[in-house]
Every structure is written in structure tokens, then in C-alpha cells.
């Protein structure tokens, strides 16, 4: 069984640029959630996707957007990057019958300079 | 006040000790609860779910107190390999998940 994978592993961007992060969910999982984790803090919920629709969102501005594809993989897009967007971005997938039971990928470490 | 609060620690305990962590939450409509562990610079890994009746997995016991709005994790007979940050997460309503900032445990020989 393949776990959650994310790409890229690391990324360096300049303030004002746009970035796209990718996530492949675990086999049999149909729900994907994205999180931002700053150093020393817990993961902060960005949003959740189910059946290609956003069905839950945290306190993040609209420049954070996402997509889920028919194969349940997902993208996180961040526009107009700010220095404070530097963080570890985590994707988690959940099985159909346990949407809150989340399995995390290794994350993408984004640095904005 | 944060929606989910944990004592950040660190908790430094000797091998074989029993250690307990608490996590309080503010939203009484929360629906489900879990504990995760996170090793340094790694992703969180699901440790166990938490129920009002309590649940046990080997040396780990988790408990939910809905009336007082807190969850707990008890680790018995601590091992060196238990050293990590322990995160509680409170889920719902509306498919929102809220993590605490974690409690750091260091188990020493």
C-alpha cells in the first residue's frame, strides 16, 4: 500500500511569486486536507477536499487555493507569496469511512525570500 | 485564547516512568479527537483515537472528558523511542481540524 506522497520536497521562492505543491493520497483514500506548520507550532488547517470540492476551510486568505482531481490527488496553490508563508506544508489523506483519521505525507518545506 | 491548548513541556522523564499529557479544547461541538506523534522534522503520525470510554493500545491510554473539554494521553513504562512531540487534534464541526502546538517528551536513560 503506497502512502501519501508530496512534491517537491523543498522549494525556494521569492516574495510575490506563486507556488504549486502536489499531493498524492494513499490508496483507498478519497479526502485530502492541507496544513501549514511553522517551526515550533502545530499544523494549521488550510482546507479539506472531498469529491473535488472544498468542504472545510481554516483561517487562510483566498490567495491559498486548492484542487482535487478525480484520482483524489490534490494541489495547493499560493499566490503573492509573503515571507510569513515560509513553512512546512503537509498534506493528509483520509479513508472514505473515517474522514477525520488523517495520514500525513512527508511535507514540502517552502522558503520565501 | 487558542482553540486547542497543550502544555508545551518539555517533559524530561527517565526510562520506565509514567507520563501524562493533557489537551483542552474550547468548541463543545467538536466531534472526534486523536493523538499524533511527530518526530523532529518529520510528518505527524497517527497514534490513536480518543473516546469517552477510554481506549488503550499497549502502553498508551487515551481518554476524553467531554464535560470538562479535555483529552489526555498516558504513556506507561516510557521507552527511549517514545521521545517525540505529541500533538492532540480536535475535529469538527464542518470538517475543520485543529491541532494543538504539541508537548515535547524526552525520555532519558
Amino acid at each position: 500500500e503506497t502512502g501519501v506522497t508530496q512534491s517537491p520536497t523543498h522549494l525556494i521562492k521569492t516574495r510575490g511569486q506563486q507556488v504549486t505543491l502536489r499531493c498524492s493520497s494513499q490508496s483507498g483514500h478519497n479526502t485530502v486536507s492541507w496544513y501549514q506548520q511553522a517551526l515550533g507550532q502545530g499544523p494549521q488547517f488550510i482546507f479539506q477536499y472531498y469529491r473535488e470540492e472544498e468542504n472545510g476551510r481554516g483561517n487562510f486568505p483566498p490567495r491559498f487555493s486548492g484542487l482535487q482531481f478525480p484520482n483524489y490527488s490534490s494541489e495547493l496553490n499560493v499566490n503573492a507569496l509573503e515571507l510569513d508563508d515560509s513553512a512546512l506544508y503537509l498534506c493528509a489523506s483520509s479513508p472514505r469511512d473515517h474522514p477525520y483519521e488523517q495520514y500525513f505525507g512527508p511535507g514540502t518545506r517552502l522558503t520565501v525570500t | 485564547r487558542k482553540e486547542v491548548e497543550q502544555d508545551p513541556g518539555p517533559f524530561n522523564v527517565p526510562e520506565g516512568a509514567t507520563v501524562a499529557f493533557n489537551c483542552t479544547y474550547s468548541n463543545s461541538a467538536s466531534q472526534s479527537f486523536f493523538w499524533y506523534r511527530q518526530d523532529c522534522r518529520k510528518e505527524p503520525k497517527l497514534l490513536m483515537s480518543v473516546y469517552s470510554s477510554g481506549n488503550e493500545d499497549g502502553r498508551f491510554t487515551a481518554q476524553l472528558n467531554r464535560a470538562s473539554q479535555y483529552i489526555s494521553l498516558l504513556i506507561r513504562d516510557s521507552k527511549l523511542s517514545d521521545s517525540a512531540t505529541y500533538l492532540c487534534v480536535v475535529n469538527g464541526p464542518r470538517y475543520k481540524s485543529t491541532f494543538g502546538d504539541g508537548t515535547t517528551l524526552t525520555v532519558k536513560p
Side-chain angles (χ1 to χ4, degrees):
Chain A
E1 183 179 84
T2 306
V4 179
T5 61
Q6 291 186 242
S7 63
T9 307
H10 295 86
L11 201 52
I12 300 175
K13 289 285 191 177
T14 303
R15 191 171 52 185
Q17 286 188 315
Q18 176 267 341
V19 68
T20 298
L21 310 182
R22 294 179 174 83
C23 171
S24 290
S25 60
Q26 187 167 320
S27 175
H29 290 187
N30 63 353
T31 301
V32 174
S33 301
W34 285 92
Y35 292 84
Q36 179 194 69
Q37 187 175 26
L39 206 58
Q41 296 182 19
Q44 300 295 306
F45 176 71
I46 303 175
F47 41 56
Q48 183 185 86
Y49 276 82
Y50 172 68
R51 291 186 176 179
E52 302 174 54
E53 298 275 338
E54 183 184 295
N55 72 341
R57 189 176 182 96
N59 298 324
F60 281 81
R63 61 189 185 84
F64 286 77
S65 63
L67 285 172
Q68 186 183 31
F69 301 100
N71 66 353
Y72 307 124
S73 66
S74 178
E75 287 182 355
L76 164 66
N77 299 290
V78 187
N79 293 322
L81 283 166
E82 301 177 0
L83 297 179
D84 283 350
D85 295 333
S86 296
L88 180 67
Y89 287 85
L90 294 159
C91 166
S93 71
S94 305
R96 191 179 312 270
D97 49 351
H98 294 288
Y100 287 129
E101 195 174 284
Q102 300 178 77
Y103 296 86
F104 284 84
T108 294
R109 190 162 297 280
L110 173 65
T111 302
V112 182
T113 62
Chain B
R1 186 188 167 201
K2 290 191 173 186
E3 292 181 52
V4 176
E5 299 211 49
Q6 293 185 250
D7 181 345
F11 284 66
N12 297 307
V13 303
E15 269 187 294
T18 295
V19 61
F21 309 132
N22 284 334
C23 170
T24 59
Y25 62 95
S26 59
N27 191 338
S28 59
S30 299
Q31 296 167 324
S32 71
F33 309 84
F34 292 87
W35 283 100
Y36 283 75
R37 72 170 276 166
Q38 185 171 29
D39 294 292
C40 190
R41 301 185 74 81
K42 298 282 193 178
E43 72 273 21
K45 290 192 186 301
L46 179 62
L47 187 62
M48 58 197 306
S49 52
V50 190
Y51 305 112
S52 297
S53 55
N55 51 312
E56 191 173 305
D57 183 2
R59 298 181 292 109
F60 297 80
T61 300
Q63 188 79 48
L64 164 64
N65 185 318
R66 281 197 182 270
S68 301
Q69 293 183 207
Y70 77 84
I71 66 174
S72 63
L73 178 68
L74 182 76
I75 305 175
R76 290 180 298 278
D77 189 23
S78 299
K79 312 289 185 194
L80 296 176
S81 58
D82 294 333
S83 297
T85 296
Y86 290 83
L87 299 160
C88 65
V89 58
V90 174
N91 296 306
R94 293 192 299 275
Y95 302 106
K96 180 183 173 185
S97 294
T98 305
F99 278 80
D101 285 336
T103 298
T104 300
L105 171 66
T106 301
V107 181
K108 302 195 171 183

